[in-house]
Amino acid sequence: MRHPKYILGAVAVSTLLPSVALAQNFGQLDQAQLSYSQAETRPDLIVELGLGAGATPAYEGASTYTGTILPLINLERLNIPGVIDIGGAGATDGLKIAPSISVVRERKSADFAPLAGLNNVDTTYALGGRIGYEIGLNEAVSVQPYVAARYAFGGAQGFVGEVGLDMTARLTPELTLVAGPVVNFASENYMDRYYGVSAAESAATGGRLAAFDPQGGIKSVGVKAAVKYEFVADTFLNLEGSYSRIVGGAENSPIVQSGSDSAFTAGVGISRRFSFNY
């Protein structure tokens, strides 16, 4: 089993980077890391919605690139009286929770010469959440360790996610920069679908790709950066980029060996903040 991964580096700006990645780190839409100016009142629900587009490797381990489009979702505040109160109040310190979504579109082996002979992989969807804790160092700078986990279904099944550290600098009331390291992981079933080569598939390639059975665990490490600019009240321009390198057992996959173990992503998107009281 195997998998191309897209990671929308497209503006998963808050996490991002990764990533509607499409999976390599775009596959991933995790956006809780950016903090924005708070309204004077305290809405019970503040959510940011938008759409991004970007460039990401054509599949996990590819040396060629393709475009991708993904939704942007950031839960900035949620208050359920007597149950939970997250975000708001203008404070940077505290628990941060957000949805985490990634989509890896269909991989047709006939479209890529290095994959000829391998089975196709249908579109893979992954849904889950991200949780972090933001620590303010001063009025303008904060750090946030976080973990995100998603369950994948469709073309591949299993768990994917990342652990990282976001360092946020609020350069002006309208401009925010977030950057930091990230480690990506996946379960064995998921890794097998994207990096594995069965004996039958190896034979179908004429032995060009050797049979390979990867294990679950860490699959890549990297760094990411994102910029958010509020050019109109509650409306944001999001820019992001990332670099990651496939490591561990996945690095030895013949799919990676025939492509590249390094991946870059870049994305841009527009998002809008909505506030509700109930």
Side-chain angles (χ1 to χ4, degrees):
M1 310 173 87
R2 41 249 146 292
H3 164 213
K5 181 179 180 190
Y6 293 43
I7 293 197
L8 179 223
V11 190
V13 162
S14 294
T15 305
L16 197 209
L17 250 266
S19 337
V20 125
L22 294 167
Q24 220 199 8
N25 283 327
F26 260 67
Q28 302 182 338
L29 264 203
D30 302 334
Q31 308 177 335
Q33 67 264 61
L34 291 177
S35 295
Y36 320 101
S37 56
Q38 302 292 325
E40 293 182 0
T41 58
R42 295 193 51 174
D44 294 308
L45 175 64
I46 303 176
V47 62
E48 186 180 338
L49 303 174
L51 192 65
T56 188
Y59 57 88
E60 192 88 359
S63 59
T64 56
Y65 286 74
T66 188
T68 185
I69 296 177
L70 284 177
L72 306 177
I73 305 173
N74 174 46
L75 179 62
E76 185 177 340
R77 174 172 169 75
L78 174 63
N79 175 43
I80 302 177
V83 179
I84 191 172
D85 188 356
I86 299 173
T92 57
D93 290 13
L95 188 66
K96 307 292 181 179
I97 296 177
S100 181
I101 304 169
S102 62
V103 178
V104 181
R105 68 185 181 189
E106 178 184 20
R107 183 187 76 185
K108 293 183 178 180
S109 298
D111 293 342
F112 308 102
L115 302 181
L118 299 184
N119 296 332
N120 294 331
V121 181
D122 293 335
T123 301
T124 297
Y125 306 90
L127 303 176
R130 162 183 160 139
I131 184 169
Y133 195 90
E134 189 168 9
I135 304 168
L137 303 181
N138 56 46
E139 292 184 356
V141 179
S142 66
V143 297
Q144 181 188 152
Y146 69 89
V147 60
R150 299 176 295 281
Y151 179 73
F153 56 94
Q157 294 184 339
F159 288 92
V160 294
E162 56 272 351
V163 176
L165 177 68
D166 284 338
M167 295 168 281
T168 301
R170 297 164 186 81
L171 305 179
T172 71
E174 298 79 24
L175 182 64
T176 302
L177 169 66
V178 177
V182 61
V183 177
N184 298 281
F185 59 86
S187 66
E188 184 174 355
N189 288 344
Y190 192 91
M191 292 277 278
D192 186 51
R193 187 62 171 162
Y194 289 100
Y195 294 96
V197 178
S198 69
E201 288 176 312
S202 177
T205 69
R208 179 174 49 83
L209 298 180
F212 183 73
D213 184 17
Q215 302 299 307
I218 296 174
K219 69 182 183 67
S220 67
V221 297
V223 293
K224 57 187 177 57
V227 176
K228 179 178 286 289
Y229 179 65
E230 188 175 11
F231 62 95
V232 175
D234 291 329
T235 303
F236 306 90
L237 171 66
N238 302 278
L239 303 173
E240 72 84 29
S242 71
Y243 165 77
S244 63
R245 187 178 187 280
I246 297 172
V247 297
E251 184 180 9
N252 299 319
S253 168
I255 294 174
V256 176
Q257 295 296 316
S258 66
S260 175
D261 60 7
S262 296
F264 296 89
T265 66
V268 60
I270 298 293
S271 58
R272 175 80 177 174
R273 179 197 290 148
F274 300 91
S275 301
F276 305 93
N277 285 299
Y278 45 81

